[in-house]
């Protein structure tokens, strides 16, 4: 019994000798260092700042990506419509409406192919449309944009084949209400008959 008590007392003495309390953290002598409460708070604050910075950067990147997609949608729609209109006008035979020196909300042209003549461009319920001959009316704008302010200005002079200036505005359809999805652009182009 005495040996056992001596052995236990020796173990307790060694434990007390090797442990001590410092700044509310137990430190074991002759082993790895521990962190103090101040160090733990400092590391937590640094980690929080890093997480916040990374989150802010990720949010900004997502907004920039969304804004880029909106710009691309409007630009592609506008460029495609303008290119198609100018190409068909250049290859047409004559401009019926608007008459020379006037402005109109629709354009009627005569083209070489009788089945496609007359070709009419107009705006209806925010959509730019084309109707070729007796065919069905076809929407030129996608459902992600709304068109407005469509104008055709007949710049033709007497003795010339004809020239038309085209103007329209495209707005991205913002169903979310977020500012990065709000974008509008005016498109202007001119086409002269060959």
């Amino acid at each position: 019994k005495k040996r056992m008590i001596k052995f236990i007392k020796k173990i307790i003495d060694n434990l007390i000798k090797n442990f001590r309390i410092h700044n509310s953290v137990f430190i074991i002598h002759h082993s790895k260092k521990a962190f103090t409460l101040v160090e733990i708070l400092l590391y937590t604050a640094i980690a929080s700042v890093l997480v916040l910075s990374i989150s802010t950067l990720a949010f900004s990147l997502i907004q920039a990506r969304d804004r880029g997609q909106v710009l691309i949608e409007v630009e592609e729609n506008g460029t495609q419509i303008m290119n198609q209109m100018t190409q068909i006008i250049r290859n047409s035979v004559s401009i019926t409406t608007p008459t020379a020196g006037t402005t109109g909300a629709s354009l009627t042209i005569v083209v070489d192919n009788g089945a496609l003549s007359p070709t009419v461009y107009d705006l209806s319920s925010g959509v730019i449309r084309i109707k070729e001959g007796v065919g069905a009316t076809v929407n030129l704008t996608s459902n992600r944009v709304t068109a407005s302010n469509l104008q055709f200005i007949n710049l033709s002079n007497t003795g010339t084949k004809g020239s038309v200036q085209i103007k329209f505005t495209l707005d991205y359809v913002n169903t979310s209400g977020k500012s990065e999805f709000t974008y509008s652009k005016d498109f202007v182009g001119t086409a002269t008959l060959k």
Side-chain angles (χ1 to χ4, degrees):
K1 272 185 160 179
K2 285 187 180 185
R3 278 185 177 176
M4 185 64 110
I5 292 173
K6 240 181 180 181
F7 180 71
I8 293 173
K9 188 176 179 189
K10 189 175 181 183
I11 290 174
I12 291 172
D13 286 343
N14 279 337
L15 285 173
I16 291 172
K17 189 162 102 177
N18 289 331
F19 283 102
R20 73 179 184 155
I21 298 175
H22 181 70
N23 287 346
S24 302
V25 176
F26 288 102
I27 299 175
I28 302 174
H29 292 286
H30 310 297
S31 67
K32 295 180 182 179
K33 278 186 155 185
F35 295 108
T36 65
L37 182 59
V38 172
E39 288 173 325
I40 291 173
L41 291 174
L42 179 66
Y43 297 143
T44 303
I46 291 171
S48 298
V49 168
L50 286 174
V51 168
L52 181 64
S53 298
I54 291 170
S55 299
T56 303
L57 177 64
F59 182 71
S60 296
L61 290 174
I62 290 169
Q63 278 185 318
R65 182 203 63 193
D66 292 343
R67 181 72 172 170
Q69 289 173 340
V70 167
L71 293 173
I72 288 169
E73 184 67 34
V74 171
E75 292 288 338
E76 283 182 354
N77 263 266
T79 302
Q80 181 181 2
I81 292 167
M82 187 63 74
N83 287 341
Q84 184 203 30
M85 283 183 178
T86 55
Q87 182 67 31
I88 290 175
I89 293 167
R90 284 185 187 125
N91 293 324
S92 67
V93 176
S94 64
I95 303 165
T96 305
T97 58
T99 57
T102 64
T103 300
S106 67
L107 172 70
T108 304
I109 55 176
V110 177
V111 295
D112 281 335
N113 185 339
L116 302 177
S117 195
T119 297
V120 179
Y121 288 100
D122 67 3
L123 178 68
S124 176
S125 301
V127 176
I128 296 176
R129 310 178 310 167
I130 183 173
K131 184 175 187 323
E132 296 176 303
V134 293
T137 302
V138 178
N139 295 343
L140 297 179
T141 52
S142 75
N143 60 353
R144 291 187 214 111
V145 297
T146 302
S148 60
N149 305 322
L150 180 63
Q151 286 186 333
F152 298 96
I153 304 167
N154 190 334
L155 304 173
S156 303
N157 292 320
T158 308
T160 64
K161 290 196 170 214
S163 184
V164 176
Q165 185 178 57
I166 308 157
K167 295 180 180 182
F168 59 89
T169 302
L170 292 182
D171 294 292
Y172 189 79
V173 176
N174 184 357
T175 57
S176 69
K178 294 181 181 177
S179 63
E180 60 266 21
F181 292 113
T182 301
Y183 182 68
S184 178
K185 182 170 182 185
D186 295 324
F187 291 86
V188 178
T190 303
T192 302
L193 280 66
K194 291 182 181 179

